[in-house]
């Protein structure tokens, strides 16, 4: 049946009261509705109106809400956006947990309490038939909605207890790093989660926890959840998700696989991967343990393990074996990859005994039909390579010494690298200790093996009598190596003896001395070997005596105190042993055969053993005292609201107490549990108390309790206040990197929180719910008041000095406003003290928004400066002028002077920065030829005309050549280029003389064909307009004629083959030019380079020199006939001189040079091993080479590219020069 509003009001004794939760959709309904029979709608607000408090609404309507004739009783309210809603239904409402002071409470009071605390709106509707109550929650943020929902559920739901059995391996994940995950679950659900304490693992005598064996069924830990029913279920679901994520992966092992079946299992890996049926699994093999580990998805792992076990069981009955005997040395060819090849080829497995096992038995396993093929494959593989057993000479002690030397020097690896395809195997350390004789196995092709055998035999021959063992206690090895490192190295330099200390891990006291057989200073004399070994052994024993007096001490300490001696992770034991590690401390059975579980053995230097003994006894005594002192504990209660602050984020608070005071702090709600068990509740809301237990030394416990209670007292005095401060002033109050707000926080011991940008769900990104214009101050009452006062004063200051002005400028002017690298905008900032922000992300591309902050004076000045630049840009025009890049450098001029002069003629700016803005040429590497002009229209137009005029002249530019004898060039150029500059200025041309840097850049001359036969050194290029070039050429010819109107000349015939020897790379002609003589040659030699060393033949004509003089450097000497491949013919040299005296000097010099070249009948090539001696051979500024040339009469050329010196002259002269050079090199090496 349906109830009317009046009926429901009478049933609840609220007749005449307005409906506290009028449905909005009903308020807007038509005045009357036709009645019709319909099924009972339990969700209808009309049938089941709200059962909440009957408090009057803000505006009371004169009519009832049911069928009001005047339309809706209340005005529609526009909800704030964003608005978050949620609905949930409770099957039963339990108000017992919401009671205060033992007094019952009502549903309406609970709802009002939640609405007042969390700023939400609540509506409730009940269904009497199903006895369910539905709640509707509305809030401005999802965070507040979730808090209100959890609080309401906690107040209206009965407390229950749930137990989850979690696998041990998941506990660490449930707790999380420093308890973070567990704290998050507790905060989210308000449910108490109890996890039993983990029992401390038992430590062995060495202080290491004994690992538990892997089990198929992992043990579990009961996790107890206590809290309101729906929240407890939520916490249970969260924990189950964590457990499922951890246990979805599993690891299982298949152990003790029979050795004859393991190869078949390995070969079927692909089959086992397929058994996973697409699941993520990983198989790993531990061959020495005959164990396969399968990890991955639980179901896939189970299938793979079952497949492996099934295959093993089936193989036990299906495969058989065949035994045979092979020499032990051939077993090496049947293992590892060779065994896999045999399996692939024949489907059979081969099993050989360990190399340390003397048995020569080989077993072939497989199906009966496959065994013949397997046997054939084994024999083929066993005979595939040649094996040589090289016996180490005895007695066995000497054999072990030789083996130790080879192992420590990695001699087998050296042999294998030097002989590819061969392998050298030495006995293992364990086998060497037991074997009566030692052999080295050499495997490979017979020629290679024979070569290695010869090399090893040679080494063994040198090692006979070259080894010796010295007994030095292993505990002092480290001390000897540390204190005498340089002396140990000197043993090899002085005595040719290497010292090999055994690895510290083997605790061996045998030190091996070896007279180095590979050293250049090796002597085959037995007496020499023995003498050097004895001297080094004597020195080592002296070092050992000086290092320490070693002793052992055994005593007993109860096993339960061993863990305290070892310390966590062995830290305490490491501190006792010390950094030098010259002590050995063993516990329990490791101390010796007669030791028991309480025994401790300390061995080392006498002083260190005594010290360690005392320290161990003191540690034990302290541990006993700590056990007594740390047994003190105290309990007290604090308000539960303060527990989170006392514990700290991720336990930082109680961890700090533990680290500083050495106490353990436990916080629990055990008081509530006892009350619930007894069914009684104390007045004053005892459920809000938490119990704190502190354990440790009495004085430390009391100090920790004092600190916690003081912190609680401070928290009780804590208050908070929200200040309304417009968000535009927040950045000024916070300061750079928060320095201002941090100063306030430290001064008043408060926490100041500013809002951050809102997220999508309407919440602030701060922990507290703050609006954009709210600032939260939290702390002690006095501190909050002081911080509030300063903040408000700072706001007033910001209002005066943080004025904001926004305006727009044309986007095209932004670049000028900013300036290059921000120079312009920074200059405005510095001059006005205003803060300027340029927003380039405007929707309107034509304008850019600029924001100014500062005092009114500052922002007005900054705005004026910015607008002035913007207005200037608005009056500018831009012109792009195409100009070929080849003219750019000419237009710009040296140092930009040409451009500056042109701009100045046009009335443009002289400032370099403004000049760069006015005209811009393309940078190097840009493909454009356009020159950009931007500025005032008048200046730009003038500059455009000037540039077009200059380019037109450049386009009319020609390059003409003129013949001017090189002898006149210096006179025409003048001192400092004075005459040349005058000529260029008068004729408006550019004149380039041969040898100048810009000569080639001037381009080819138009009339170059007319001068094809003229010496290039006499051709001068003139560039400019045609008329100007012709005028300049005419002036040049006149100047050249007047510079030297009369010259004298003569001719000399010179054989072409002597050209290289005479010219001396051009030096001879430069010397003639100093006489005022210029040489013109009728014919130039085709090959102008000097004599070259012939390619090496099968029997090169070279000889090793100084073979009897071991002190001289090793060199190569080769002599050939000079001019044997030289060019035949003569060249007529025309000598042109300013006067007769210069001509005669030149004629004499040429004659002497020809005679000298004729005497150079031989060429010697002296090649030294390297160039290190070249500086000494050349001498300071070539002094030595010049001296040798004068003494021997030979020409000496020292190469800069290689280590060969070329000597030319008569045969006797070059041999004398070679000997002198070698003496110089030999003397330098001796030094």
């Amino acid at each position: 049946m349906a109830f009317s509003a009046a009926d429901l009001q009478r049933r609840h004794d609220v007749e005449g009261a307005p409906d506290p939760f009028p449905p909005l959709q009903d308020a807007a309904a038509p005045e009357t509705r036709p009645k019709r029979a319909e099924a009972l709608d339990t969700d209808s607000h009309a049938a089941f109106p709200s059962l909440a408090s009957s408090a009057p609404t803000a505006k009371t309507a004169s009519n009832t809400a049911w069928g009001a004739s005047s339309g809706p009783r209340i005005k529609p309210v526009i909800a704030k956006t964003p608005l978050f809603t949620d609905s949930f239904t409770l099957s039963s409402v339990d108000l017992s947990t919401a009671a205060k002071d033992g007094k019952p409470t009502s549903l309406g009071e609970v709802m009002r309490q939640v609405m007042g605390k969390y700023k939400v709106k609540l509506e409730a509707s009940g269904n009497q038939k199903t006895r369910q109550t539905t709640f509707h929650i509305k809030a401005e943020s999802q965070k507040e909605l979730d808090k209100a929902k959890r609080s309401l559920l906690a107040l209206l739901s009965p407390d229950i207890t749930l137990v989850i059995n979690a696998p041990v391996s998941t506990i660490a994940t449930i707790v999380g790093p420093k308890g973070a995950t567990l704290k998050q679950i507790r905060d989210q659900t308000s449910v108490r989660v109890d996890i039993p304490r983990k029992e401390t693992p038992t430590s062995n005598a060495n202080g290491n926890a004994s690992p538990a064996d892997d089990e198929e069924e992992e043990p579990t830990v009961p996790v107890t959840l206590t809290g309101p029913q729906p929240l407890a279920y939520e916490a249970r679901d969260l924990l189950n998700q964590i457990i499922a994520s951890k246990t979805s992966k599993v690891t299982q092992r298949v152990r003790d696989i029979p050795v004859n079946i393991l190869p078949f299992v390995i070969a079927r890996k692909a089959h086992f991967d397929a058994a996973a049926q697409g699941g993520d699994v990983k198989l790993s093999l531990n061959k020495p343990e005959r164990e396969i580990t399968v990890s991955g998805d639980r179901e896939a792992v189970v299938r793979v393990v079952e497949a492996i076990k099934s295959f093993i069981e089936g193989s036990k009955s299906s495969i058989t074996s065949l035994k045979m005997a092979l020499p032990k040395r051939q077993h090496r060819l049947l293992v590892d990859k060779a065994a896999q090849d045999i399996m692939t080829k024949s489907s059979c497995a081969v099993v050989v005994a360990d190399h340390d096992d003397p048995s020569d038995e080989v077993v072939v396993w497989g199906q009966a039909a496959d065994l013949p093929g397997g046997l054939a494959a084994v024999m083929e593989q066993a005979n595939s390579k040649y094996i040589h057993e090289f016996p180490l000479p005895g007695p066995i002690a000497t054999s072990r010494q030789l083996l130790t030397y080879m192992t420590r020097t990695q001699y087998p690896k050296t042999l294998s690298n030097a002989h590819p395809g061969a392998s050298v195997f030495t006995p293992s350390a364990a086998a060497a200790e037991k074997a009566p004789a030692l052999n080295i196995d050499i495997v490979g092709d017979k020629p290679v093996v024979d070569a290695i055998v010869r090399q090893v035999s040679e080494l063994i021959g040198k090692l006979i009598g070259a080894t010796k063992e010295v007994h030095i206690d292993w505990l002092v090895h480290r001390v000897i190596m540390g204190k005498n490192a340089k002396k140990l190295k000197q043993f090899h330099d002085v005595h040719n003896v290497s010292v090999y200390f055994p690895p510290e891990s083997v605790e061996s006291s045998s030190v091996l001395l070896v007279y180095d057989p590979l050293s250049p200073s090796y002597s085959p004399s037995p007496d020499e070997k023995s003498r050097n070994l004895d001297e080094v052994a004597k020195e080592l024993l002296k070092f050992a005596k000086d290092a320490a007096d070693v002793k052992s001490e055994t005593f007993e300490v109860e096993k339960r105190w061993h863990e305290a001696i070892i310390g966590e992770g062995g830290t305490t034991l490491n501190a006792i042993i010390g950094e030098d590690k010259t002590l050995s401390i063993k516990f329990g059975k490791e101390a010796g055969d007669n030791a028991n579980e309480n025994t401790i053995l300390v061995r080392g230097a006498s002083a260190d053993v005594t010290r360690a003994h005392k320290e161990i006894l003191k540690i034990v005594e302290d541990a006993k005292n700590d056990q007594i002192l740390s047994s003190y504990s105290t309990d007290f209660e604090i308000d539960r609201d303060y527990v989170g602050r006392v514990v700290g984020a991720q336990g930082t608070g109680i961890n700090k107490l533990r680290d500083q005071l050495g106490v353990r702090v436990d916080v629990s709600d055990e008081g509530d549990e006892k009350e619930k068990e007894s069914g009684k509740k104390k007045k004053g809301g005892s459920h809000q108390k938490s119990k704190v237990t502190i354990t440790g030394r009495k004085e430390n416990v009391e100090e920790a309790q004092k600190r916690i209670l003081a912190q609680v007292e401070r928290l009780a005095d804590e208050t908070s206040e929200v200040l309304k401060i417009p968000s535009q002033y927040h950045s000024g109050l916070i300061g750079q990197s928060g320095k201002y707000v941090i100063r306030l926080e430290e001064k008043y011991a408060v926490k100041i929180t500013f809002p951050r940008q809102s997220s999508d769900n309407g919440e602030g990104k701060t922990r507290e719910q703050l609006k954009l214009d709210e600032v939260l101050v939290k702390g002690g009452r006095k501190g909050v008041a002081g911080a509030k006062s300063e903040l408000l004063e700072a706001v007033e200051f910001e209002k005066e000095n943080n004025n904001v002005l926004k305006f727009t400028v044309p986007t095209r002017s932004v670049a000028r406003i900013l300036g290059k690298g921000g120079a312009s905008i920074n200059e405005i900032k510095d001059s006005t003290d205003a803060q300027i922000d340029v927003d380039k992300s405007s929707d309107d591309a034509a304008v850019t928004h600029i924001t100014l902050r500062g005092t009114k004076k500052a922002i007005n000045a900054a705005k004026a400066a910015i607008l002035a630049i913007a207005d200037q840009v608005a009056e500018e025009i831009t012109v792009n002028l195409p100009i070929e890049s080849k003219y750019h450098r000419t237009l710009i001029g040296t140092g930009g002077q040409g451009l500056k002069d042109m701009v100045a003629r046009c009335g443009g700016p002289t400032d370099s920065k403004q000049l760069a803005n006015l005209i811009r040429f393309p940078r190097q590497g840009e493909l454009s030829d356009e020159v950009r002009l931007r500025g005032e229209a008048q200046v730009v137009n003038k500059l455009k005309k000037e540039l077009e005029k200059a380019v037109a002249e450049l386009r009319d530019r020609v390059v003409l050549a003129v013949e001017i004898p090189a002898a006149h060039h210096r006179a025409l150029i003048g001192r400092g280029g004075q005459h040349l500059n005058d000529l260029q200025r008068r004729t408006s041309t550019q004149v380039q003389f041969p040898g100048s840097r810009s000569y080639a850049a001037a381009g080819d001359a138009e009339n170059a064909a007319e001068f094809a036969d003229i010496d290039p050194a006499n051709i001068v290029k003139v560039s400019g307009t045609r008329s100007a070039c012709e005028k300049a050429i005419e002036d040049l010819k006149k100047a050249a004629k007047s510079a030297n109107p009369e010259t004298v000349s003569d001719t000399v015939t010179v054989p072409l083959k002597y050209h290289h020897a005479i010219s001396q790379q051009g030096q001879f002609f430069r010397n003639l030019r100093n006489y005022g003589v210029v040489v013109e040659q009728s014919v130039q030699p085709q090959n102008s380079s000097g004599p070259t060393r012939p390619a090496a033949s099968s029997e090169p004509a070279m000889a090793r020199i100084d073979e009897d003089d071991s002190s001289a450097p090793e060199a190569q000497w080769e002599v050939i006939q000079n001019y044997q491949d030289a060019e035949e013919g003569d060249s007529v040299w025309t000598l042109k001189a300013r006067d007769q005296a210069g001509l005669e000097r030149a004629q004499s010099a040429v004659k002497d040079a020809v005679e000298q070249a004729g005497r150079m009948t031989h060429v010697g090539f002296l090649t030294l091993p390297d160039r290190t001696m070249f500086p000494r051979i050349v001498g300071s500024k070539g002094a030595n080479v010049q001296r040798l040339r004068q003494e021997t009469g030979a020409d000496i050329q020292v190469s800069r590219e290689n280590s060969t010196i070329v000597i030319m002259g008569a045969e006797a002269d070059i041999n004398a020069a070679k000997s002198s050079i070698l003496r110089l090199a030999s003397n330098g090496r001796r030094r």
Side-chain angles (χ1 to χ4, degrees), residues 1050-1055 1058-1059 1061-1064 1067-1079 1133 1135 1140-1160:
D1050 195 5
T1051 59
V1052 179
T1053 301
V1054 178
Y1058 296 159
H1059 183 274
I1062 294 173
S1063 66
Q1064 298 178 9
Q1067 183 61 41
F1068 181 76
F1069 298 111
R1070 286 192 289 272
N1071 294 338
L1072 293 182
R1073 207 172 289 130
N1074 293 334
Y1075 306 153
V1077 177
V1078 178
V1079 179
W1133 289 12
L1135 308 179
Q1140 187 64 34
L1143 180 62
E1144 292 176 355
R1145 292 180 65 187
Q1147 289 173 334
S1148 176
V1150 172
K1151 181 180 178 182
D1152 293 343
V1154 171
E1155 293 176 355
Q1156 176 66 19
R1159 289 194 294 270
M1160 294 182 179

Side-chain angles (χ1 to χ4, degrees), residues 1176-1190:
R1176 179 170 183 81
I1177 294 171
V1178 174
S1180 177
K1181 298 182 180 180
N1184 289 346
V1185 171
Q1186 189 63 29
R1187 178 177 58 81
L1188 292 178
R1189 285 172 178 168
Q1190 295 175 356

Side-chain angles (χ1 to χ4, degrees), residues 552-556 591 595 599-602 609 613:
S552 300
E553 191 168 331
T554 304
F555 52 95
E556 292 192 359
T599 303
I600 297 178
L601 171 64
V602 183
V609 170
H613 189 184

Side-chain angles (χ1 to χ4, degrees), residues 193-269:
V193 183
D194 292 326
I195 301 175
R197 289 188 176 276
K198 182 174 66 173
E199 295 182 0
T200 304
T202 305
S203 296
N204 60 16
N206 291 324
N208 299 321
S210 301
D213 292 336
D214 295 322
E215 300 179 4
E216 297 297 335
E217 295 298 331
E218 188 177 6
T220 59
V221 175
V223 179
T224 306
L225 310 176
T226 305
Q229 185 178 25
L231 299 179
Y233 289 149
E234 181 184 354
R236 180 188 63 183
D237 293 340
L238 292 174
L239 289 177
N240 283 333
Q241 290 176 9
I242 296 175
I243 294 172
S245 67
K246 291 298 292 182
T247 57
S248 62
K249 302 290 184 180
V250 70
T251 298
Q252 292 189 15
R253 292 176 174 82
V254 181
R255 296 186 174 91
D256 299 326
I257 302 174
V259 65
N260 60 311
I261 298 177
L262 182 60
F264 295 95
V265 175
I266 297 172
R268 290 178 63 87
K269 182 178 183 298

Side-chain angles (χ1 to χ4, degrees), residues 602-619:
V602 183
R603 188 166 181 272
S606 299
D608 290 338
V609 170
T610 304
R611 173 187 58 80
H613 189 184
K614 292 180 180 178
E615 290 183 6
I616 289 173
L617 296 180
K618 186 176 184 302
I619 290 171

Side-chain angles (χ1 to χ4, degrees), residues 114-116 118-122 137-140 144-145 148:
V114 173
M115 287 191 292
Y118 296 104
K119 300 179 183 179
V120 297
K121 292 183 179 181
L122 278 173
I137 310 178
K138 299 177 182 179
E140 293 184 3
E144 288 294 325
L145 189 145

Side-chain angles (χ1 to χ4, degrees), residues 666-691:
D666 297 317
V667 182
S668 63
D669 298 332
E670 294 180 1
D672 290 352
E673 293 299 319
K674 292 179 180 178
E675 291 170 10
K676 290 178 182 179
E677 292 175 2
S678 62
K680 297 179 182 180
K681 286 185 177 288
K682 295 182 181 180
K683 294 183 179 182
S686 61
H687 61 281
Q688 295 184 349
K689 295 290 184 179
S690 293
K691 179 182 176 182

